[in-house]
Amino acid sequence: MRRLFWLGLGVVAGVALSRKATETARQATPAGLASNLGDAVRELAGAVGSFGAEVRAGMSEREQELHDMVEERTGYSAPVAGGRHAAAQRPVRRARRAEG
């Protein structure tokens, strides 16, 4: 019975080591390196996007704080631009075509 236990343990260890060696060898190939690089770039892009969203949220929150402060101190209630600059909400004038 002891020999059967050790034989089974040896088989399991051999399979585990073989799979680990195969995976390590696959990661060392150009396709494996490209896959790892692609994953890293996707992770970085997600982090940058998340950071940008947090910055925009903070800017919007600060803009609202400043708007409330101005209204409190002056009594003037300026229209809120809705998170965008007021200049960005101006209508765009288009040049007329000359008919002729």
Side-chain angles (χ1 to χ4, degrees), residues 70-85:
V70 167
E71 185 177 348
E72 179 183 313
R73 291 184 180 179
T74 64
Y76 175 72
S77 178
V80 178
R84 290 194 268 164
H85 297 287

Side-chain angles (χ1 to χ4, degrees), residues 84-97:
R84 290 194 268 164
H85 297 287
Q89 291 186 346
R90 291 185 195 143
V92 177
R93 294 184 184 183
R94 296 184 183 188
R96 290 190 212 172
R97 289 185 177 175

Side-chain angles (χ1 to χ4, degrees), residues 4 14 17 21 23-26 35 38 48 50 61 66 69 74-75 81 88 91 98:
L4 188 60
L17 288 175
E23 179 63 23
T24 302
R26 188 198 66 77
S35 174
V48 168
S50 176
E61 182 180 332
L66 292 172
M69 185 186 309
T74 64

Side-chain angles (χ1 to χ4, degrees), residues 4-79:
L4 188 60
F5 169 76
W6 289 111
L7 176 67
L9 187 64
V11 168
V12 169
V15 168
L17 288 175
S18 173
R19 287 186 179 209
K20 183 68 174 173
T22 303
E23 179 63 23
T24 302
R26 188 198 66 77
Q27 288 180 355
T29 64
L33 293 173
S35 174
N36 290 342
L37 181 63
D39 292 342
V41 168
R42 271 189 231 89
E43 186 177 334
L44 178 64
V48 168
S50 176
F51 175 74
E54 289 179 19
V55 167
R56 285 188 299 275
M59 287 173 41
S60 178
E61 182 180 332
R62 180 63 177 153
E63 182 180 4
Q64 185 61 44
E65 289 174 3
L66 292 172
H67 181 268
D68 293 343
M69 185 186 309
V70 167
E71 185 177 348
E72 179 183 313
R73 291 184 180 179
T74 64
Y76 175 72
S77 178

